[in-house]
Amino acid sequence: MSIKRKATKIVLRWAIGAAVGMLVSWPVLLGLALLTLVVIILSSSGGPAALAPPALAASNYSCTIAAPPPASTAAAVTPATGAAGDYAGITLNAQQMKIAGTITAVTKQMNLTRRADEIALAVAMQES
C-alpha cells in the first residue's frame, strides 16, 4: 500500500470520527432533542399550528353601530340606505349598499376623515 493511499485512509477515518463525535456530543444531542420537541408541539392536533380562526359566515358575525353619544355632544348618525345601482362605475346590490351605508355611518360617528371612509369601503370590497 502506498503512502498516499495510507494518508487518504487516515484522513477519511479522521473525518468520519470527527463527524460521529460531533453528532454524539451532548450539546448537539440536546439541540436535536429540543428541535424534535418543538416540531412535536407545533404539529400536534391541539398545538399552535392547528389553531385557525373560525371561518366567517353570514350567521356568525354582524356589524352594528354603537349607541350614539348624548344629543348634547353630537347628533346620532344613522346609516344611509340607497337603492341598488351603479355608483362611480361599481355596481352594488341592495345588501352591499346597506353594508356600505353602515361602514360610512360608523366612520362618520367616529369623526374620521373621508379618506378613512374610502379606505374602509375599499377594504370591505376587497375582503368580500
Side-chain angles (χ1 to χ4, degrees):
M1 202 165 171
S2 71
I3 294 179
K4 186 175 181 183
R5 192 166 176 98
K6 276 186 177 183
T8 304
K9 200 172 189 181
I10 291 171
V11 168
L12 185 60
R13 283 184 184 169
W14 181 84
I16 292 171
V20 169
M22 281 193 298
L23 287 176
V24 178
S25 67
W26 70 269
V28 173
L29 289 176
L30 182 63
L32 288 174
L34 289 174
L35 181 62
T36 304
L37 185 63
V38 167
V39 168
I40 290 171
I41 289 171
L42 292 179
S43 63
S44 65
S45 62
L51 299 178
L56 293 179
S59 63
N60 66 0
Y61 76 94
S62 64
C63 180
T64 58
I65 300 174
S72 61
T73 58
V77 178
T78 57
T81 55
D86 191 34
Y87 297 94
I90 300 171
T91 305
L92 301 173
N93 61 29
Q95 182 183 11
Q96 290 171 324
M97 283 300 299
K98 182 179 175 187
I99 293 169
T102 302
I103 292 170
T104 303
V106 169
T107 57
K108 284 182 181 178
Q109 184 178 9
M110 295 175 69
N111 293 324
L112 299 176
T113 63
R114 179 178 174 159
R115 178 75 177 141
D117 188 27
E118 292 170 356
I119 291 170
L121 290 169
V123 168
M125 289 175 62
Q126 180 69 31
E127 294 299 321
S128 65

